[in-house]
Each structure stands twice: as structure tokens, then as C-alpha cells.
Amino acid sequence: MKVLILGGDGFCGWPTALHLSGQGHDVTLIDNLSRRNIDNELGVASLTPISPIDVRLNAWKQITGRTIAALHMDVAREYDRLEATIDRLAPDAIVHFAEQRSAPYSMKHARAKRYTVENNLAATQNVLCALVETGVDAHLVHLGTMGVYGYGGGLRIPEGYLTVEVDDSAGARTQREIMFPPDPGSIYHMTKTQDQLLFYFYNKNDGLRITDLHQGVVWGTQTRETRLDERLINRFDYDGDYGTVLNRFLMQAAVGHDLTVHGSGGQTRAFIHIQDTVRCIEMAIDNAPKRNERVRIYNQMTETWRVGELAKLVSELTGAAICNMPNPRREAAENDLCVDNACLLDLGLEPTTLRGSLLNEIIDIAQRYADRCDDSRIVATSQWVQPREPSRQLGR
Ligand code: NAD
């Protein structure tokens, strides 16, 4: 298949590009390198020494003989180029990762909030609009988030659609399937709930074939392909804005920092290993929805953990101490999370679990590159609610 990967230089996009190319697909990636620029803005860098994109692509060619084409393009701001590219390439599938993906960054300040909304919604709108305008019948696979469900309101979270019982217009009791009520917990998550509505509309109105993967927190860094050569290494974010919770704990343990648990640690999150992420995307593109099928939604996660339990697991493995800190997020101190993920399991996903041996690989990586860590950037500084002077406080 011809596959276009938007955001193909990122943490999930790069290993996906390698994996799909390795599987024999003809891959082109697009990225505006905004993630690398945000690192510069924040004064941090991936713990792993990621190579410039050209070095990455040349290394892949040298090692495997396979070519991945790359275009430097802003999907949110260069609509005409995007449309022309989709028209020229006529891909069978487009995988869309090209969004600002950190919840803490999206809550940092007005500029980050506005950037996240403008970038994410314009990127999604542009790719959908370009598909309609060109008439290219590509299957769009989008990386969404489990965060669109909030905590699921104490319900078992279905794969996107909830069956409800309501009265029809004649007053008879009837069952309907509706999109699960969105309940975003940050500006970033809010953009993902709005993406869902864009997908709903373009699917209903234009018949676009779309799969939305509601992904859990990704852990790990290496996949089979990124392990092949140091120049292919994947990024490893450990800072308070972009570091995902488990990677951050393992990093903290490696440099002798306490494991910083925000709040009680009773928050439950859904997780998936990066190797399973790339496999799920491959399965999604191999199983495209049929014409006139509604938007397909899969919960792309393999297990749930309480943040405090994770810290305990890492502490037992490494001896690191646990330190509870105030929670900068506006969320319940504790929650349960019960998630249905049968679709990807039925397609053949064999989950990589946290109890497996891969935790040690990340500890090794964290230790190998520990001298690249800037301790001062580990702790999260974004606040969900900004302290204000009394005269400037809003209604409540
Ligand atoms: P990332 O920031 O590492 O990668 C995103 C890539 O998209 C970056 O390379 C960035 O430069 C690029 N990009 C952003 N805006 C762009 C634009 N307008 N034009 C072109 N390129 C653009 O993030 P990631 O961790 O790889 O996440 C990828 C997707 O998966 C995101 O949409 C994210 O919401 C979703 N996701 C990630 C996680 C996770 O734990 N990492 C969890 C759930 C969902």
C-alpha cells in the first residue's frame, strides 16, 4: 500500500514509518518538525540522541535498502501543498499523528492553548477537506486519545459508541447508539473530542473512510526497527511537559531523582507499549472500513494502572523513593477505568505488558543516556488553573 504519514518524525510516527516501510509499504512522511522546535522553546531535548530527519532516512536506506520519502510541510497551515500532495500521491491510507500532543503543554499559557487548538483542529480539518476535494479514496487512520472519555463516568468504556435507551418521537422505548459523551480534561484532550465531530461529519456527509484510534499513554521507546541502528533511535521525552508518566518514573530512577507522583496517585490511566502502537496501526490500515461504514473507533490500550501502583512497581525494581506532590491537574483524586479493547485483540494484537521484560530495556536506556538529562526539567510546572489576583477572578 501507499501510506502517507502525517507527523512521521514524532515519537509514535517515526517507529510507525519504519515498521510500515519494513512491512513492504511505500511510505511518505510529512512533518513540520514543530515537536523539535518545541523542545528548543522549552530548553529540553529527547533523552535519547535523535538524529536529524535526513540522517534517519539515509540510515534506514543504508540498512534495509528501503526508501522513505519525506516532505517538510505544515499540515495545519499549508493547505494547498497538502491537497496537491494527496492528489499526486493518491495514498491508500493516511496515518494522522500531526498534532500537539501534550496535555500539560496545552495548559501552559494562552499562547500554548491557542496554538494547540489552532494547530490540531486545522490539521485535522485540512486533511479531511483535501480528501474530499481531491476525491482520493484513502482510509484515514487518526491517533486519538483515551482522554476523550474522561474517566468514563464509572461506566465500562465501549469502543467509541454507547448504547442508550430513549423514547422515540412516538413515545416508544427504543435503543440507539450514540458517540460516547466527550469529557476532555485539558485543552489538548478537548481538541481530540472536536476531531471526533469533524470525523463524524465528513464520514456522514462525504463518505470518508475513517478509523479513530483512542490510544492510551504510550510507554517504552524502542521498537524492532528503531533498535537496528543508533541513528534510528526513537525519542524519549522525560520532561514535565512531554514525558509520559511511566517513562518519566524510569528516567527519574535512573538519575537518582525521587519518583514524583502528582496527588494521591489514585488516578488510573490506560497504557500501551510503543511496539504495540505500531502493530495496531498496521492492523488498522490492513482492515479498512467499508464504504458507508460509520467512523470506526478502537480503544488502543492494553492495560490500566493506578499512577501510585506504577510508582511502586518502579520503586521495587530500582530502589527509587516515591515523593507525592500537589497535582497540577483539575481531576478527581482517584478514579477507576474499565475499558473495552476487544476490537484490536480480535484482529490479533498480542499485548506487551508492563510485567514483561521491556521495563528493563527502558531502565537500560535511561541509564545509558542519563548524562543528557537536565534534572531541573523533570518536575511538571504547568498548572491547570492559574492563580489569579482576587479582582481578576472569574465567576467561580
Ligand atoms: P509527537 O509530538 O512526538 O509527534 C507529533 C509529530 O507531529 C511531531 O513530529 C510534530 O513535529 C508533528 N506535527 C505537529 N503538528 C504538525 C503540523 N501542523 N504539520 C506537520 N507536522 C506536525 O507526538 P506522539 O507522541 O508521536 O503522538 C502522536 C499522536 O498520537 C498525537 O496525535 C497524539 O495525540 C497521539 N497520542 C499519543 C500518546 C502518547 O503517549 N505519546 C498517547 C495517546 C495519543
Side-chain angles (χ1 to χ4, degrees):
M1 273 192 228
K2 254 195 248 173
V3 185
L4 181 59
I5 300 185
L6 311 177
D9 184 51
F11 171 56
C12 298
W14 174 243
T16 301
L18 296 186
H19 182 70
L20 296 180
S21 172
Q23 294 298 309
H25 296 294
D26 178 0
V27 175
T28 299
L29 66 83
I30 288 181
D31 205 295
N32 66 348
L33 307 185
S34 54
R35 178 69 194 87
R36 293 183 189 239
N37 289 336
I38 292 176
D39 267 352
N40 296 337
E41 170 198 324
L42 296 174
V44 290
S46 161
L47 182 72
T48 46
I50 52 173
S51 299
I53 184 80
D54 290 350
V55 175
R56 283 179 151 185
L57 297 170
N58 287 337
W60 180 245
K61 169 97 179 146
Q62 201 182 57
I63 295 158
T64 64
R66 298 201 57 80
T67 302
I68 297 177
L71 297 166
H72 186 284
M73 189 190 300
D74 188 326
V75 174
R77 293 186 178 182
E78 294 182 87
Y79 175 77
D80 291 344
R81 271 187 79 202
L82 177 69
E83 188 190 299
T85 304
I86 290 177
D87 197 32
R88 177 173 57 82
L89 293 176
D92 301 291
I94 300 180
V95 190
H96 174 24
F97 298 100
E99 297 184 79
Q100 191 300 100
R101 71 100 172 136
S102 156
Y105 183 77
S106 79
M107 300 302 292
K108 219 172 182 51
H109 38 53
R111 183 166 50 79
K113 289 178 185 177
R114 296 177 61 241
Y115 165 71
T116 302
V117 171
E118 287 162 14
N119 184 65
N120 293 5
L121 294 186
T124 299
Q125 156 66 2
N126 283 352
V127 65
L128 291 164
C129 194
L131 282 171
V132 173
E133 291 304 307
T134 57
V136 169
D137 184 27
H139 168 207
L140 179 65
V141 177
H142 171 253
L143 268 290
T145 165
M146 286 295 303
V148 296
Y149 301 116
Y151 300 132
L155 305 178
R156 182 177 178 84
I157 298 176
E159 307 215 55
Y161 299 96
L162 184 67
T163 308
V164 292
E165 215 169 83
V166 284
D167 289 344
D168 68 13
S169 50
R173 212 66 186 146
T174 179
Q175 282 201 343
R176 288 283 145 81
E177 281 209 310
I178 58 169
M179 209 187 287
F180 196 92
D183 185 13
S186 73
I187 291 282
Y188 155 70
H189 291 106
M190 193 265 298
T191 64
K192 295 284 184 178
T193 67
Q194 302 217 8
D195 281 345
Q196 285 188 277
L197 267 187
L198 287 166
F199 298 141
Y200 174 81
F201 176 76
Y202 277 94
N203 167 265
K204 182 180 78 161
N205 194 65
D206 302 284
L208 296 191
R209 294 179 302 130
I210 301 168
T211 300
D212 199 3
L213 300 170
H214 289 180
Q215 183 167 244
V217 179
V218 183
W219 65 280
T221 183
Q222 295 283 58
T223 60
R224 268 188 291 283
E225 291 80 14
T226 64
R227 263 185 221 109
L228 288 174
D229 189 285
E230 178 85 359
R231 292 166 295 171
L232 300 178
I233 202 164
N234 198 16
R235 69 164 38 248
F236 186 127
D237 298 311
Y238 67 89
D239 60 283
D241 288 310
Y242 279 87
T244 52
V245 59
L246 177 60
N247 281 6
R248 206 154 37 84
F249 285 162
L250 292 165
M251 174 63 218
Q252 291 175 328
V255 297
H257 195 287
D258 288 353
L259 311 181
T260 50
V261 173
H262 296 144
S264 67
Q267 311 93 318
T268 309
R269 304 274 196 256
F271 291 89
I272 184 163
H273 187 266
I274 185 75
Q275 183 70 58
D276 291 350
T277 290
V278 303
R279 174 83 183 109
C280 288
I281 291 162
E282 181 189 5
M283 292 190 299
I285 65 171
D286 282 349
N287 293 278
K290 295 177 199 60
R291 258 217 166 276
N292 298 323
E293 188 176 327
R294 72 177 177 188
V295 176
R296 220 179 247 189
I297 300 176
Y298 295 155
N299 291 337
Q300 185 164 304
M301 51 72 69
T302 53
E303 54 191 325
T304 59
W305 282 78
R306 282 189 192 270
V307 171
E309 283 172 0
L310 269 188
K312 219 163 132 234
L313 178 72
V314 175
S315 170
E316 280 163 12
L317 270 174
T318 63
I322 297 174
C323 165
N324 284 80
M325 302 182 69
N327 188 355
R329 297 184 189 229
R330 203 173 160 113
E331 63 181 356
E334 292 196 358
N335 71 286
D336 291 318
L337 201 57
C338 178
V339 183
D340 191 357
N341 65 345
C343 289
L344 286 162
L345 295 176
D346 288 349
L347 288 178
L349 177 67
E350 289 170 17
T352 306
T353 63
L354 268 143
R355 295 274 182 208
S357 57
L358 283 178
L359 271 183
N360 288 323
E361 181 188 62
I362 315 177
I363 295 171
D364 285 349
I365 288 196
Q367 284 169 345
R368 191 169 349 137
Y369 298 109
D371 61 337
R372 288 173 52 86
C373 169
D374 176 351
D375 289 23
S376 69
R377 312 319 301 260
I378 289 178
V379 173
T381 53
S382 286
Q383 294 291 329
W384 259 236
V385 180
Q386 303 295 336
R388 293 200 184 282
E389 295 159 28
S391 61
R392 298 192 59 203
Q393 269 174 358
L394 302 175
R396 49 189 183 116

